[in-house]
Amino acid sequence: GAVVSQHPSRVICKSGTSVKIECRSLDFQATTMFWYRQFPKQSLMLMATSNEGSKATYEQGVEKDKFLINHASLTLSTLTVTSAHPEDSSFYICSAAHQETQYFGPGTRLLVL
Amino acid sequence: DQQVKQNSPSLSVQEGRISILNCDYTNSMFDYFLWYKKYPAEGPTFLISISSIKDKNEDGRFTVFLNKSAKHLSLHIVPSQPGDSAVYFCAAHFSGTYKYIFGTGTRLKVLA
């Protein structure tokens, strides 16, 4: 149990375009989901906390207008990287909270050309 | 300020021996700790957790020890297997919140 999926697993896009990443909890409902970013050989950096039915809470230094988060249902949160630039290239990971534990998706590798 | 620290960036252990991964924290208000395992280009996988009211939790080959006075926790893997080779993250959070503070990770390599 406690499986979280992410789609797509890998995406390449041109600079200036927007990319949407989906995060789904497959066998449980999650009122809270999280979005992380991981740079090579570094720890997971929390970007924002996504709460179902309300606005996301962004960490300091994360642009909310650039990283749009929507948590429209108890099993789905989306992260949209708007007007992507090469510096947005990274590994994005979501997690869903369930019984005191976060369960992570497999991650999405974004490459902006 | 790094509230959760993993001071060893890497560790090599022979197959069959014990792997000990360490984690230190600074905030005594943390009340729940977890260990995750991560392979490259994948999301972290939950391994084991421990509440601050306990000092030990065991699950198969994995045991987590918590020393509150020293603000230190460790993960023991016995016996270590080549498939255990991965990056291990410890994480801490406060009761009533799911927001985790992650350590920087320790890369474990189990040698066959």
Side-chain angles (χ1 to χ4, degrees):
Chain A
V3 179
V4 176
S5 70
Q6 254 181 269
H7 179 80
S9 59
R10 183 178 297 211
V11 57
I12 302 173
C13 68
K14 291 182 179 179
S15 187
T17 60
S18 294
V19 174
K20 180 186 281 189
I21 304 170
E22 292 186 349
C23 178
R24 293 181 186 272
S25 56
L26 298 185
D27 50 1
F28 65 98
Q29 293 184 327
T31 55
T32 305
M33 291 184 172
F34 300 86
W35 288 96
Y36 293 82
R37 184 172 177 177
Q38 186 182 28
F39 295 98
K41 297 184 179 180
Q42 293 190 25
S43 187
L44 300 165
M45 184 192 83
L46 179 65
M47 298 174 65
T49 302
S50 169
N51 297 297
E52 188 267 337
S54 65
K55 290 184 179 180
T57 304
Y58 290 82
E59 295 300 302
Q60 191 173 9
V62 178
E63 298 176 60
K64 61 180 181 180
D65 294 328
K66 180 163 189 64
F67 298 100
L68 300 179
I69 291 171
N70 183 273
H71 194 156
S73 78
L74 288 171
T75 58
L76 173 64
S77 175
T78 60
L79 168 69
T80 301
V81 183
T82 62
S83 186
H85 288 98
E87 58 265 29
D88 298 324
S89 299
S90 192
F91 191 59
Y92 293 87
I93 310 173
C94 73
S95 71
H98 182 59
Q99 296 178 353
E100 291 271 15
T101 302
Q102 287 186 33
Y103 293 91
F104 287 82
T108 296
R109 170 75 60 193
L110 171 63
L111 178 61
V112 184
L113 302 176
Chain B
D1 177 35
Q2 188 72 28
Q3 294 189 68
V4 179
K5 298 179 185 179
Q6 292 175 256
N7 292 317
S8 298
S10 64
L11 173 68
S12 291
V13 172
Q14 206 66 36
E15 180 180 8
R17 306 295 287 269
I18 184 171
S19 294
I20 300 176
L21 299 116
N22 295 303
C23 181
D24 296 296
Y25 59 96
T26 56
N27 194 327
S28 59
M29 298 303 290
F30 287 135
D31 63 358
Y32 202 72
F33 303 89
L34 310 94
W35 282 95
Y36 284 84
K37 173 181 178 181
K38 185 181 182 301
Y39 294 114
E42 292 185 15
T45 303
F46 169 69
L47 277 177
I48 193 168
S49 62
I50 188 167
S51 164
S52 61
I53 62 173
K54 295 186 176 182
D55 54 20
K56 178 183 175 181
N57 188 25
E58 192 172 352
D59 184 1
R61 295 188 299 116
F62 303 94
T63 303
V64 56
F65 295 92
L66 176 62
N67 182 332
K68 288 189 291 294
S69 61
K71 297 192 183 72
H72 177 84
L73 69 154
S74 61
L75 174 68
H76 292 209
I77 306 173
V78 182
S80 301
Q81 300 172 354
D84 296 329
S85 298
V87 178
Y88 289 78
F89 291 97
C90 64
H93 75 91
F94 307 103
S95 177
T97 172
Y98 282 108
K99 186 174 172 180
Y100 288 4
I101 308 296
F102 278 93
T104 49
T106 296
R107 183 175 301 278
L108 172 66
K109 190 170 185 179
V110 180
L111 307 169

